Amino acid sequence: MKRSILFDTETTGLDPATGDRVIEIAALELIDDLPTGENFHVLINPERDVPPEASRVHGFTLDDLLDKPKFAEIVDGLLVFIGEDEMIAHNAPFDFGFINAELKACGKPALDRKRMVDTLEMAKKRYPGLPNSLDALCRRHDIDLSARTTHNALLDCKLLSEVYLELMGGRQRGLGLAVSGSGGGVATYHANPDRKPRPMAPPDDETAAAHEKFVASLKEPVWLQ
């Protein structure tokens, strides 16, 4: 079985080199790309202010975080949870950069970037020329976004786990696992009669233009044959 960790951070800003800090970490355990239900989630006192523009993104103010533990107080628990397994994030270099800056400040070794799996890069390769934000990918795969009113690390992890499964090939929607036979315990897939067809909307002008530009850059693209 393959164990991996899917994670997300929320921060006070965009660049740890200028003093921005992590304020929230969420991580989900995956076994063979499926969530097990095990997770690590913590809010963190950043030991600095939280700019209003950051609060508008994730909804947290400094007052919300003053009574939370500092990163140094949660780092050992985080490292135990993530172990040595691969780590999956959307725009993973951003999250790795922040986590590694926090680890350095604690005197801990940085995460090896060989462990990094970036779902944004995966999405760009699968959907070249199309929007590949988490919201866009959820809409493309018919994943419910109704609870996502702000950037919340734990919710974003749960959404990304569904997106990641789709990027890895997915479980075909409308199929379910059933046991058939008399005591044989043979697993078979069957169609779900309640499955509703999902209409595919035509691309807008901007998306179509981006796709045409991408196709024009290819050698003998199949779209033109």
Side-chain angles (χ1 to χ4, degrees), residues 41-219:
H41 179 229
V42 63
L43 294 175
I44 299 167
N45 182 340
E47 304 179 76
R48 55 150 292 167
D49 66 306
V50 180
E53 57 269 26
S55 294
R56 284 193 290 271
V57 173
H58 47 59
F60 296 112
T61 66
L62 182 58
D63 286 344
D64 297 322
L65 305 169
L66 286 175
D67 63 344
K68 306 305 179 188
K70 299 172 183 176
F71 186 88
E73 297 172 326
I74 61 91
V75 65
D76 290 337
L78 172 65
L79 293 175
V80 168
F81 184 80
I82 65 177
E84 298 296 326
D85 301 294
E86 71 177 16
M87 297 185 66
I88 305 157
H90 203 63
N91 192 18
F94 175 89
D95 298 286
F96 263 70
F98 267 95
I99 294 292
N100 280 341
E102 296 284 0
L103 290 172
K104 181 179 179 180
C106 294
K108 301 285 188 180
L111 300 177
D112 187 343
R113 292 204 171 215
K114 292 180 181 178
R115 299 172 61 180
M116 182 171 69
V117 177
D118 186 2
T119 54
L120 179 57
E121 286 302 312
M122 293 172 65
K124 286 179 177 179
K125 290 177 181 178
R126 182 166 178 178
Y127 304 112
L130 296 179
N132 285 304
S133 67
L134 181 58
D135 281 359
L137 290 167
C138 286
R139 286 191 290 268
R140 192 168 301 144
H141 291 290
D142 197 25
I143 296 168
D144 184 11
L145 276 168
S146 60
R148 195 175 191 245
T149 56
T150 59
H151 286 244
N152 171 284
L154 186 57
L155 174 60
D156 286 359
C157 278
K158 292 176 180 177
L159 294 172
L160 185 58
S161 69
E162 296 191 58
V163 167
Y164 177 65
L165 186 60
E166 296 288 352
L167 292 174
M168 292 298 288
R171 289 171 296 182
Q172 185 175 342
R173 294 180 184 275
L175 293 180
L177 187 63
V179 176
S180 63
S182 56
V186 178
T188 60
Y189 282 97
H190 63 86
N192 179 357
D194 297 324
R195 179 179 182 269
K196 296 180 180 180
R198 187 178 71 198
M200 301 299 290
D204 56 31
D205 292 342
E206 181 179 355
T207 300
H211 181 69
E212 289 178 7
K213 182 178 179 181
F214 169 74
V215 170
S217 70
L218 300 177
K219 182 180 179 180

